Amino acid sequence: MPARKKSKLQIDLVVPVYNEAEAIRKTYADLRQVADSLPYDFRFIYVDDGSTDGTADALRAVCADDPRATLLRLSRNFGHQAALTAGMDASTGDVMISLDGDGQHPPTLIPKMISLVEQGYDIVQGQRIEEERAASFKKVTSNFFYWLINRISGTRILQGAADFRALSRNALDGLRLMREYHRFLRGMTAWVGYNSVILPYHEPQRVAGKSKYSLTKMMRLAADALFSFSLAPLYIGLSAGVAFFILAAIEAAYVLSLWTVGSAAQHLEPGWSSLMGVLLISSGTIMILLGFIGVYVGYIFQEVKRRPIYLLKADEPHE
Ligand code: UDP
Ligand code: MG
């Protein structure tokens, strides 16, 4: 913990909302109940992600009522990850906790999260535990997504990880150095490192309304995750080129073997061997060159993300 001359820890609750007018009263009341029962200095940072219903009015009413609440309004709907980023940028507390504004991230876990940060964990990552339900479309696609990303990415991403997490000041400062445009915060928090701990929870139903994550938004998030945490798709060209060269070698061996046993004239159409050879070798060369270009594009992509090259542990004494 930073040695601040403060009597109480400041805890910032960051809540991104998009068209949640019906849910806000109830979820705010639940948050407030938890905040009032704990000896910390709480702030509620609401981010209105370009809502078009009465969300802004509901949040203004909350802010008028409670001096600990602030409202940031984005100029349009930028998406959940951007809204969370705006809230985290505004956080000045010792601990930042992000949670959804629809009641699906139980506020009753807040005391546990804070106590884990106080014990020295920098990241307390909420993990949704799947109820034993029949396989739904969302569940199957989500399982496939986590399986795939963990196979092709160097960053381990927890199955069922949610944007329900607590970050210490250290971890948040590290995360804030990552200014990339396509954001997948679950991966980015894993990338940051530091001491982290998983906090499993059962997800209740939304208090009102329906999911604001459309299929398009989910697919965009999955693409942001796959492409910004892995260069594997770029290596497809390179692998295909190598495969073509292997085929060329097999073809050459086949043709040679027919020649050595003297049955070439019987089995081979005139021109087939040379045509096939040229085709496979030239395709292989093109693929490999495309693959190399792909890899350079990948390196450029990593550079333009301007991620920090390393992060220091802040608690080691340094002169
Ligand atoms: N949300 C947002 N911008 C969006 C979509 C969603 O700020 O473009 C908010 C939404 O209001 C909620 C949280 O992100 O507080 C999670 O969204 P949702 O509950 O719809 O996702 P689900 O739980 O269905 O995956
Ligand atoms: Mg939800």
Side-chain angles (χ1 to χ4, degrees):
M1 267 317 103
R4 295 191 188 186
K5 287 273 159 269
K6 266 192 181 178
S7 49
K8 286 181 186 174
L9 280 190
Q10 181 185 326
I11 315 285
D12 293 342
L13 304 178
V14 168
V15 190
V17 282
Y18 176 52
N19 290 347
E20 303 285 8
E22 303 147 69
I24 281 168
R25 283 257 136 235
K26 166 85 175 97
T27 52
Y28 164 71
D30 291 347
L31 282 185
R32 180 178 186 144
Q33 198 183 5
V34 171
D36 289 346
S37 69
L38 295 168
Y40 302 107
D41 177 11
F42 275 94
R43 309 282 156 95
F44 304 80
I45 304 176
Y46 279 99
V47 185
D48 172 14
D49 184 15
S51 301
T52 50
D53 63 351
T55 298
D57 290 335
L59 290 173
R60 281 196 203 101
V62 167
C63 293
D65 234 39
D66 188 339
R68 298 169 297 179
T70 49
L71 168 60
L72 302 175
R73 296 188 66 203
L74 305 190
S75 60
R76 63 168 170 85
N77 179 231
F78 280 88
H80 184 209
Q81 305 290 296
L84 271 171
T85 305
M88 293 193 304
D89 285 348
S91 160
T92 54
D94 303 294
V95 181
M96 188 286 312
I97 298 177
S98 59
L99 70 174
D100 287 353
D102 61 356
Q104 290 196 285
H105 294 165
T108 44
L109 285 178
I110 290 175
K112 179 83 191 155
M113 285 181 146
I114 301 172
S115 93
L116 286 166
V117 175
E118 282 182 317
Q119 284 167 36
Y121 289 104
D122 288 287
I123 300 175
V124 183
Q125 174 62 58
Q127 181 188 29
R128 196 181 57 240
I129 298 298
E130 294 289 342
E131 249 90 337
E132 279 310 317
R133 270 184 282 131
S136 65
F137 176 74
K138 195 161 178 167
K139 189 170 161 185
V140 170
T141 46
S142 147
N143 285 349
F144 172 71
F145 166 77
Y146 282 105
W147 172 83
L148 181 67
I149 196 156
N150 279 315
R151 283 204 67 128
I152 67 175
S153 148
T155 307
R156 289 283 131 242
I157 297 165
L158 184 70
Q159 175 98 28
D163 285 311
F164 179 33
R165 69 175 73 84
L167 299 180
S168 68
R169 192 69 239 168
N170 273 347
L172 180 60
D173 285 343
L175 189 66
R176 285 182 55 194
L177 293 174
M178 300 168 83
R179 301 314 297 176
E180 57 215 65
Y181 179 79
H182 292 280
R183 302 174 78 78
F184 178 61
L185 286 162
R186 292 158 217 182
M188 290 163 65
T189 356
W191 186 94
V192 160
Y194 290 125
N195 297 333
S196 56
V197 64
I198 297 164
L199 185 63
Y201 70 97
H202 288 280
E203 191 172 73
Q205 296 286 322
R206 271 183 156 266
V207 303
K210 56 182 173 42
S211 174
K212 305 300 172 320
Y213 253 97
S214 59
L215 187 60
T216 331
K217 278 185 176 162
M218 292 238 293
M219 285 183 354
R220 206 175 295 149
L221 183 67
D224 285 349
L226 291 175
F227 294 122
S228 57
F229 278 91
S230 164
L231 293 185
L234 287 172
Y235 285 92
I236 292 173
L238 216 53
S239 324
V242 171
F244 270 93
F245 269 102
I246 292 171
L247 282 179
I250 293 171
E251 192 244 5
Y254 171 64
V255 170
L256 265 178
S257 69
L258 290 179
W259 278 102
T260 41
V261 297
S263 62
Q266 247 174 292
H267 286 96
L268 293 175
E269 289 290 334
W272 185 87
S273 321
S274 50
L275 202 64
M276 245 357 231
V278 169
L279 199 73
L280 290 173
I281 289 171
S282 56
S283 311
T285 313
I286 293 170
M287 295 281 198
I288 284 183
L289 288 181
L290 269 181
F292 283 149
I293 293 175
V295 174
Y296 278 111
V297 172
Y299 280 32
I300 295 170
F301 178 54
Q302 284 179 328
E303 289 294 335
V304 298
K305 273 191 283 196
R306 293 250 145 258
R307 279 190 192 170
I309 297 163
Y310 57 83
L311 296 169
L312 290 176
K313 276 194 197 299
D315 49 9
E316 299 295 328
H318 40 84
E319 311 296 295

